[in-house]
Amino acid sequence: MTNSAKQFADIALPLPVDRTFHYSVPEGLRDSIQAGMRVLVPFGKTVRTGYCVGFVPVPEVPKVKDVIQLKDSFPAITPPLLKLTKWIAEYYLCSWGETLDAVLPPSIRKNRSQRQILAVEPAITKEELAAMVPKMQTENIKWSKILEFFMDSHEPVPITDLASKLDISDSPVKTLVKKGLLKYKKILSYTDPHWHITVPREPFLEPTPHQAQALGWVFEHLDKAAFGVQLLLGITGSGKTEVYLHAINYALKHNRQAIVLVPEIALTPQAVTRFKARFDDVAVLHSHLSEGERATQWHNIYTGKSKVIVGTRSAIFAPTPNLGVIIVDEEHETTFKQESVPRYNARDVAVMRGKIENAAVILGSATPSLESYYNAQTGKYNLIRLPIRISNRPLPKVEIIDMSSEVGARKEVPILSHQLELLIKNAAEKKEQVILFLNRRGYTTFIMCPKCDFVMRCPHCEIAMTYHRKYNKALCHYCDESAPIPQVCPKCGAVEIRQLGTGTEKLEDHIRALFGNTDIARMDSDTMRARGAYKKVFDNLWAGDIDILIGTQMVTKGFDFPNVTLVGVISGDTSLYIKDFRSAERTFQLVTQVAGRAGRGAKSGYVVIQTFNPSHYSILSAAKHDYEEFAEKELRFRKELKYPPFSRVMRIVVQGKDMDAVKETAKEVKEKLYLMVPNNAGEILGPAPAPIAKLRDKHRWHLLIKLFDSRLTRKIHLHIRETVKSRKATEIVFDVDPVVML
Ligand code: ADP
Ligand code: ZN
């Protein structure tokens, strides 16, 4: 682009406005300014950082202000990411600038200079090291440990990391420097938080015919540099990850990079290990990185040094120079959706990014979202099935237990059915491991008065509080409010306050009372708070030091233990009662995923599902491991009620501290919607109080709009924003393709 073409820049500002702004570029900056750079511009009475998103020949108003200065020496936003963020802003109804802000890690955005830290590296050759080690062993065991460490890797290592890894102080390290065997080196704060996991190389496995079919499609697309989406529908253990690994390898051979999105990294450390065992330059992006680490990773990706990026949701914005393949593992997971602006779903953003960069996209799951499955059925995506487990291991047998027939003479529902109790006992005797899944944490989930209608609720949220015995308090799981348990009913004064509903804490108690002499562990966000807690349980499971593991959905992901032969789903219904058109889908997914944890090894597995809905199709299909049967029934239901994939859903939440203002505003939104959405273009549900009618002191009303013409979302958004008057600080939130409807 010539200099004169850069006279006027188009600038996106991170403000909730639906437009960009024009500025003139002073002569002195025209050589260096490029689209994708951040710039300082005057805005109103302040100075703001914006993003140069392009140039215009003529500004929209005759008098425009000057760009003050450039904040980057290179475009921090690459051209494909510029396009992608523009699409996100339009699709998810937020501003381009806000989206761009979400793409850059804060450390890059704030121009933090990278921290330099002191490292050591060998001052002698590998051969000299090898000769030194035996000598040192007799002289000083710490010295020999350090030198031995460097025989594997000649790379510099931060002194603090080395000391903690070898469990020594830094003084022997310093001594070795004095002796001339090691030398100091300043390095950027360490790049790879997983550096201490030295992963032995693993060979690629010869693909099975099913895997080869999936890969054929990927290779063809990479050869042609053509965009396409493959839905890889494969039960757990059917070899999906092996397909990903081959696909990435092929992309690297074409000098292109790969992004792998996973729902959760802390819970799946083995997944990361498998990628590191095959490839050298793997960057792992997750929420526990320090700002410095994140910045280093970002630079390594930007320059093409890191070629395989494994990360959660926001890794879809990794600034790879030449992206070849994008993999979304467990594509149905809700964690891919961001619940704040920009409210994107990384799975759908992945598809759009693939389109922009001519990359091959693989969506993998044993229980795909209905949206993706429908896209595969209609030919938009390429559907590949991996129908059998590798080496033909059988899927576990599943038994459904109707809990209403377990209600005893005392009219109480037992925590465990007879059958499950018996099976646990059997497994424990055989020294086989058991996983018990219950998706509710705490002790009891409901505190109420049997005489009047009092239920202990959070004063800030319209939510029943959960009793936690560990803290001897009732807690709100939404805002962390806590309160002591009343001795008498605060409403009617009756003395017996009752506690109902079982959480994992109580389940653990119950299991300990029944099976006191077995090793029992619990895994939920209460017990996993401490650093390293998760790994400990994980290691203990491997070592066989845990017989019965109790947990929330933390235990449903990536748990691959050969000695787990029994899985019990304590309540298969918790997700079925949530008011959401996806509740059947969630239930099917959860039950299928947790059932898949049994029988991963040589011994066969058994699964028990306790439920009050034994004939619900989501439970029946999950028991048969039959995704397609479920999907067909569910699609019929969605079609009839015009839910996605047969419409696009947009949720509007009106919230604020003043209940009347919220209600009024919600009603006004509805009136505007009526005029904009004729009957043949969509359906409007609500306004009604949201399932959580009050959250952190804000009242909430919502509307759900099913649109048959998806282009309407933008028009609706603009129109409502312009015409609905703001009352007493109520705020209107627009969520396209909502995932959580609470
Ligand atoms: P998924 O990701 O679908 O759960 P994996 O890729 O982890 O499945 O495969 C399950 C198991 O089968 C792993 O232990 C893996 O090493 C093995 N496996 C996968 N593909 C092959 C293959 N082509 N040949 C032999 N073993 C395989
Ligand atoms: Zn609360």
Side-chain angles (χ1 to χ4, degrees), residues 458-461 463 476-481 696:
C458 172
H460 309 290
C461 311
I463 285 292
C476 170
H477 285 175
Y478 287 87
C479 76
D480 283 336
E481 170 81 10
R696 294 187 193 89

Side-chain angles (χ1 to χ4, degrees), residues 51-63:
Y51 297 83
C52 173
V53 293
F55 300 92
V56 289
V58 186
E60 59 195 345
V61 286
K63 263 185 79 109

Side-chain angles (χ1 to χ4, degrees), residues 231-452:
L231 178 62
L232 191 60
L233 169 52
I235 52 176
T236 46
S238 61
K240 294 187 293 297
T241 310
E242 193 62 36
V243 170
Y244 306 157
L245 293 164
H246 279 277
I248 295 167
N249 199 35
Y250 204 78
L252 298 187
K253 280 194 196 136
H254 280 68
N255 254 324
R256 299 178 74 179
Q257 301 89 38
I259 295 178
V260 184
L261 297 184
V262 294
E264 169 72 76
I265 282 194
L267 298 183
T268 47
Q270 334 85 291
V272 172
T273 311
R274 285 183 73 185
F275 288 93
K276 295 202 150 196
R278 303 288 175 93
F279 307 109
D280 294 325
D281 310 295
V282 179
V284 183
L285 300 177
H286 58 79
S287 57
H288 296 302
L289 292 181
S290 70
E291 282 200 9
E293 286 166 341
R294 196 174 292 275
T296 314
Q297 298 275 38
W298 189 89
H299 281 287
N300 285 344
I301 296 166
Y302 191 93
T303 54
K305 181 171 177 293
S306 296
K307 297 184 173 65
V308 180
I309 296 96
V310 183
T312 46
R313 187 169 65 222
S314 63
I316 194 56
F317 300 125
T320 49
N322 189 12
L323 187 60
V325 59
I326 311 176
I327 289 151
V328 185
D329 191 28
E330 310 289 359
E331 68 90 37
H332 63 278
E333 283 281 351
T334 56
T335 49
F336 289 125
K337 170 87 173 174
Q338 171 148 302
E339 296 297 342
S340 59
V341 174
R343 294 171 195 275
Y344 66 94
N345 188 322
R347 181 232 305 155
D348 300 320
V349 173
V351 170
M352 187 43 72
R353 182 156 183 195
K355 194 167 174 182
I356 291 170
E357 304 214 38
N358 294 320
V361 181
I362 307 177
L363 309 179
S365 175
T367 55
S369 63
L370 270 295
E371 285 86 344
S372 296
Y373 183 66
Y374 185 69
N375 278 333
Q377 277 200 329
T378 53
K380 217 171 136 190
Y381 297 171
N382 169 257
L383 178 64
I384 298 283
R385 294 183 180 85
L386 301 179
I388 43 173
R389 278 185 167 178
I390 297 289
S391 66
N392 261 320
R393 243 165 241 154
L395 284 162
K397 282 213 171 51
V398 182
E399 181 176 356
I400 300 173
I401 306 241
D402 179 1
M403 288 308 276
S404 55
S405 66
E406 297 278 325
V407 178
R410 285 196 297 143
K411 294 243 156 55
E412 265 177 36
V413 184
I415 295 176
L416 295 184
S417 55
H418 280 298
Q419 173 72 341
L420 184 53
E421 191 177 324
L422 209 71
L423 287 166
I424 297 174
K425 203 164 148 236
N426 275 341
E429 272 162 16
K430 282 192 277 178
K431 272 305 207 188
E432 293 173 0
Q433 290 168 306
V434 179
I435 292 180
L436 298 178
F437 166 68
L438 176 62
N439 215 6
R440 278 185 305 221
R441 64 193 178 92
Y443 198 79
T444 45
T445 54
F446 216 63
I447 303 152
M448 55 143 348
C449 170
K451 297 259 156 66
C452 68

